[in-house]
Amino acid sequence: MYTSGGLSVRDYWCRQSCGVCTAPPLSSPPPPPPRPPPSPCVDQLSYCADWKNSGYCDPTYTSGGLSVRDYWCRLTCGVCTAPPLSSPPPPPPRPPPSPCVDQLSYCADWKNNGYCDPMYTSGGLSVRDYWCRQSCGVCTAPPNAPFPPPLPGDALIGGCADPAASLLLHNQYRTRHGSPALGWNNTLAQQAKNWAANLALNNSCGLYHEGVAGENLYMASTSSQTSPLNCSRAVDAWYGEISLYKFTSTPYTDNTFSSIGHFTQVVWASTAQVGCGAVRGTNCYVVSCRYAPPGNIIGDSNFLANVLPPVSARRSLEVDVASVDDVLPTGSDSDGQVVITSVA
């Protein structure tokens, strides 16, 4: 008989409590989502060691609602063990050692001052194992066996208009000083040509060395784009430095090397091979000749043994070189600068 708001208390407002009906059993809550896999065995914070020392690895401690032990500081709190560090990859193989030559002209001085000790470096590279291998005794230079000369009929490559005359002129000048004749090496000629091309085409015929031992460079100005690239002209200019050379008992000490280094390389007795290249630039051309084994080894004893005074008993140089006069330029080309050879 009781109502509220015109509706039965028993049959509307309070059906379950008044026993009018029976409520269905409550359904079970959904199971919790699966736990995420444990994080890697690392600490998430930089100060986990301090927290451990303060006792915060106890499982009751949390930070930001997450367990210090099981989340923030798993490694420090000993929940897990970090895997061993993987071994670093092996270093790349060492490059093969450079040829048994010194890379610098003053290696003998460095050796005398104790710089062959393995602790000394220059530019991040070992003095003993890189810059001065021969002087420091890391290796032994092979004997100066000459390269085989080109076979009869082989082309003398390199770009010179007169490679045979250039070789002949080298040897006629060397004969005057008692030095053995050189053989032509096409590998050296190709290397010389490549470097001459770099200077002529990329550097307006400005001269500087590639950094190899045994190299003479020459530049000539010319307004013609068709005149021959005469390498013998460069040989003639280099030998002209003889007028400045002092034939003394201490020649390396007494001479200014920047004035005579081309001449000494041309006549250096222990050099066995030469190859020359020439490339035309804009209103100029560059000649490069490379020598093996390289000359200009520093020290008075080396210069005494390899740069001998002219032999007066031999035919005069004027007669000796007459056969190549026709290939030496005599026209409108003007001499350019000559840069000193590398010393090694």
Side-chain angles (χ1 to χ4, degrees), residues 181-328:
L182 300 178
W184 183 272
N185 184 292
N186 276 341
T187 299
L188 292 175
Q190 186 61 56
Q191 293 170 352
K193 182 180 180 181
N194 291 345
W195 187 243
N198 175 66
L199 298 177
L201 302 178
N202 300 326
N203 201 47
S204 301
C205 292
L207 302 185
Y208 64 93
H209 288 281
E210 188 175 12
V212 297
E215 178 182 56
N216 277 354
L217 295 176
Y218 172 87
M219 186 274 284
S221 298
T222 176
S223 58
S224 171
Q225 292 300 303
T226 58
S227 60
L229 304 182
N230 288 293
C231 293
S232 56
R233 178 180 183 176
V235 180
D236 193 52
W238 295 332
Y239 185 81
E241 294 174 0
I242 188 176
S243 63
L244 303 175
Y245 191 82
K246 301 171 184 176
F247 290 94
T248 68
S249 60
T250 53
Y252 181 76
T253 301
D254 297 339
N255 281 281
T256 302
F257 186 76
S258 60
S259 301
I260 50 82
H262 294 94
F263 156 68
T264 53
Q265 176 60 87
V266 168
V267 301
W268 195 266
S270 63
T271 294
Q273 295 228 316
V274 66
C276 299
V279 176
R280 190 185 310 279
T282 302
N283 298 324
C284 60
Y285 69 88
V286 172
V287 176
S288 170
C289 287
R290 295 198 174 180
Y291 302 84
N296 290 332
I297 308 301
I298 62 174
D300 288 324
S301 60
N302 289 321
F303 274 70
L304 279 171
N306 287 281
V307 184
L308 306 177
V311 181
S312 59
R314 299 181 185 275
R315 291 184 302 161
S316 70
L317 183 63
E318 291 73 19
V319 173
D320 216 20
V321 301
S323 60
V324 296
D325 281 347
D326 59 323
V327 298
L328 293 175

Side-chain angles (χ1 to χ4, degrees), residues 42-45 47-49 51-52 57 67-79:
V42 294
D43 292 334
Q44 305 295 324
L45 302 171
Y47 38 87
C48 282
W51 276 10
K52 178 182 179 181
C57 283
S67 170
V68 171
R69 187 190 71 173
D70 297 326
Y71 181 81
W72 294 113
C73 301
R74 290 170 53 81
L75 178 60
T76 296
C77 290
V79 173

Side-chain angles (χ1 to χ4, degrees), residues 97-119:
S98 60
C100 194
V101 296
D102 293 334
Q103 305 295 323
L104 302 170
S105 61
Y106 36 87
C107 281
D109 295 333
W110 277 10
K111 178 183 178 182
N112 294 336
N113 288 316
Y115 294 138
C116 284
D117 188 284
M119 64 180 284

